[in-house]
Amino acid sequence: MTYRQNAGRAGSRQSRPSRPLEYAIAAAFLIALAVLAAALAAVSTDSLSGKAVVVDGDSLQFGNQKVRLEGIDAPEFTQTCTIAGQAAECGKLARTHLRNLIAGRPVECSGWQTDKYDRPLVRCTVGGTELNAAMVRDGWAVAFGDFELEEAEARNASRGLWQGEFAEPRDWRREHAGESAGDAGHFVAIGDLFAKAGRRIVEWTAKW
């Protein structure tokens, strides 16, 4: 029997006492996953529907609840740009385009994430048309975490903002008012996610 074989056996004998610890770690990991799954299940998808007020090119309001269209970023309401060589109020134009897409019809929105201001990040539809995608495809918002194909389509077709020159909305916000409340790209931090999950669990248990 060689030294390597003896060393291997000795190493095997030495590792055996650590197995209970390994089992405990594995069990704790599985329990943590179960707790996380329960927490995420408690953070159910939020849904809103009905008449919506268009705040700007990527924000809607249902009663007292303001929501942001997920995955896009539209010009701020007071933002200007250049279209066909002329100065244009692109923020107002973006809002008008979103209003025209809705055309007074009921809006259905859903989503489970929030931004850093605790506003729901949602995807909304009207009559089978997804507003998030349509705003980017029509050139009145840019991709911001999603809808890159729609943005490429708008750019290639010179639609909306792509008819001229404009500053990225987030860059415009930095120059004019720092990181404003309109930044849709900031998802809720993991700590906030658990806090929201905790609130949902408390609400759920209170019903029972």
Side-chain angles (χ1 to χ4, degrees):
M1 190 173 290
T2 66
Y3 176 80
R4 289 177 183 271
Q5 290 173 323
N6 284 335
R9 288 194 174 186
S12 177
R13 288 196 298 269
Q14 292 173 358
S15 65
R16 286 176 184 170
S18 68
R19 286 183 178 175
L21 177 59
E22 293 175 356
Y23 294 151
I25 293 174
F29 180 70
L30 291 176
I31 292 172
L33 286 179
V35 172
L36 177 60
L40 292 178
V43 186
S44 59
T45 299
D46 289 322
S47 297
L48 292 168
S49 62
K51 182 176 179 58
V53 175
V54 178
V55 179
D56 54 33
D58 54 20
S59 301
L60 300 174
Q61 189 153 342
F62 293 84
N64 295 326
Q65 178 65 68
K66 187 175 181 180
V67 300
R68 285 295 303 250
L69 299 184
E70 180 186 10
I72 77 173
D73 201 10
E76 293 298 309
F77 184 67
T78 57
Q79 185 174 343
T80 59
C81 58
T82 301
I83 295 180
Q86 302 292 322
E89 296 179 317
C90 51
K92 294 180 180 179
L93 291 173
R95 184 179 70 171
T96 297
H97 190 75
L98 183 54
R99 279 179 173 171
N100 292 339
L101 286 173
I102 295 173
R105 294 174 292 175
V107 181
E108 295 184 0
C109 301
S110 64
W112 64 272
Q113 298 184 98
T114 58
D115 64 12
K116 61 182 180 180
Y117 297 95
D118 204 31
R119 294 174 304 178
L121 293 171
V122 295
R123 296 194 178 215
C124 301
T125 59
V126 171
T129 297
E130 184 178 318
L131 299 177
N132 310 50
M135 285 296 291
V136 178
R137 188 185 302 113
D138 296 343
W140 292 108
V142 298
F144 205 58
D146 204 347
F147 306 108
E148 285 80 7
L149 292 178
E150 287 81 358
E151 180 179 295
E153 180 182 333
R155 187 190 307 112
N156 293 334
S158 298
R159 298 174 187 156
L161 300 169
W162 303 103
Q163 299 174 70
E165 298 179 352
F166 65 96
E168 288 280 343
R170 57 180 170 179
D171 294 336
W172 190 92
R173 287 193 292 271
R174 289 192 188 102
E175 293 179 5
H176 292 79
E179 290 294 335
S180 78
D183 198 339
H186 292 282
F187 293 162
V188 64
I190 189 66
D192 294 333
L193 178 59
F194 278 109
K196 184 176 181 181
R199 291 196 299 270
R200 289 297 180 88
I201 293 172
V202 170
E203 293 172 358
W204 181 77
T205 54
K207 295 178 180 179
W208 298 88

